[in-house]
Amino acid sequence: MKVRDGLSTHLTVAQQYDHLVEKGAIKRDPAQERVVRELDLLVDRIREKRMARKSRALGWLFGKGKKTNEPITGLYIHGEVGRGKSMLMDLFYQIVPARAKRRVHFNVFMADVHDRIARHRQALKDGKTKETDPIPPVAAELAQEAWVLCFDEFTVTDIADAMILSRLFSSLFENGVVLIATSNVDPDDLYKDGLNRGLFLPFIKILKDHVKVLHLAADTDYRMEKLNRLPVYLTPLGPETERMMDQAWETVVNGREVRTETVTVMGRGIPVPRAAGDAARFSFAELCEAPLGARDYQALVERYKTLFIDDIPVMDLPQRNAAKRFILLVDTLYEARTRVVLSAAAAPDRLYIAKTGTESFEFARTASRLTEMQSEEWQETSAAAAAAG
């Protein structure tokens, strides 16, 4: 049995959960424990199916034992924000015995689906395929890559997504995909009041036919408790500030897998070096020394509710372009009420020291907003906005 970061990697979800309780990372919650039991049952079913597939492939048990083509019912875990849904799914994802598995934010998954559909249509136009319907081949490709599919923050707001979900997921389930999803809403409330919702309703039935719906009704909003204790603006730069930034990041990540992602804007990809759920972490250079603009920053705050920005330097005239981007970035964060955690070389009113140029005047607003972001009132409203995401 392997051990990583003090936690065995080949255990049950319940054992991992108990380990987190014992080390004080979480509090034991009966509502969470009910979900844990269901996740472990699902792990067992997936393990049985994987072993049966392997045995059948080797010809050892051909024609004997349980059928391996029986579909596995997945899980749809919904409840209010901050109740630990993503944390529990991550514990499941770490141990589920399937190599072809994928854990992804639902919006990122759908962006990938639309990209694949566009490529298929281009291939049809170029004469490289005769398949006029892109959904079946796209679904087959996705199922081949991952037959255990974990969605974080399952929600439907885009009509382009809504109109293809019934056919897409029918095909995914036909290809043997097992779905595990977390959401803030009951399946019956997905795409509520959305345009042409009647065309979307068949998807809800398909979904409920293939998942067991669990309501995680924990009493405590653990995420809000943690968010309200986070620092906002750390200075000066140095080992202690870096340690505090890392500690705050671990609090927000809350045991979830940290990975690189890409946010697509107008056909361009913005690399996200560290992301976990709806939180992302960048350096100042990655956000303000790269050729990014208003659309890019807006896309980031729409995708992530909490942003960490490391190593904001003191800027002078040679850094005026980076200062312009930083002004724009702070304006975007401010308007979106995005939760921020920043490390900087100096206090906000000392970050831009040039006395000439429009940036020297504009930066006064930026400094004021950075100062406001440190207030208790700001932290409460931005933490609430982050939790509502």
Side-chain angles (χ1 to χ4, degrees), residues 63-235:
K64 300 180 181 179
K66 297 180 181 179
K67 296 179 180 179
T68 61
N69 60 349
E70 290 294 325
I72 295 177
T73 299
L75 292 174
Y76 182 101
I77 307 163
H78 72 96
E80 295 182 28
V81 298
R83 267 56 182 181
K85 301 183 295 295
S86 296
M87 178 268 293
L88 294 176
M89 187 172 69
D90 283 337
L91 295 183
F92 165 86
Y93 185 80
Q94 289 171 18
I95 68 164
V96 63
R99 292 182 180 178
K101 62 182 179 178
R102 183 180 182 187
R103 186 204 185 285
V104 62
H105 191 282
F106 182 68
N107 289 340
V108 174
F109 175 80
M110 290 308 300
D112 180 30
V113 168
H114 288 297
D115 287 344
R116 291 175 191 245
I117 289 174
R119 289 196 296 270
H120 181 91
R121 286 173 174 160
Q122 185 61 49
L124 178 64
K125 184 178 179 181
D126 295 340
K128 297 178 181 178
T129 179
K130 295 183 179 179
E131 176 62 67
T132 57
D133 184 357
I135 298 296
V138 165
E141 182 180 41
L142 290 166
Q144 181 68 28
E145 294 173 7
W147 66 278
V148 175
L149 192 55
C150 297
F151 284 145
D152 196 17
E153 299 183 30
F154 195 110
T155 185
V156 184
T157 57
D158 188 290
I159 187 172
D161 293 346
M163 293 305 99
I164 68 170
L165 283 177
S166 292
R167 296 182 58 243
L168 174 67
F169 275 82
S170 290
S171 192
L172 286 173
F173 291 136
E174 287 172 4
N175 279 277
V177 167
V178 181
L179 175 65
I180 303 90
T182 69
S183 179
N184 295 340
V185 299
D186 184 282
D188 289 326
D189 291 330
L190 287 169
Y191 199 53
K192 192 173 184 179
D193 302 321
L195 187 63
N196 294 325
R197 188 171 189 261
L199 300 176
F200 173 78
L201 293 178
F203 167 71
I204 295 177
K205 183 181 185 307
I206 292 167
L207 177 65
K208 292 169 71 174
D209 284 344
H210 290 85
V211 298
K212 182 175 183 177
V213 178
L214 301 176
H215 181 211
L216 178 52
D219 293 330
T220 303
D221 186 342
Y222 300 105
R223 185 180 183 188
M224 184 66 80
E225 284 187 349
K226 292 180 178 180
L227 284 171
N228 286 340
R229 294 196 298 267
L230 287 182
V232 174
Y233 193 99
L234 296 169
T235 189

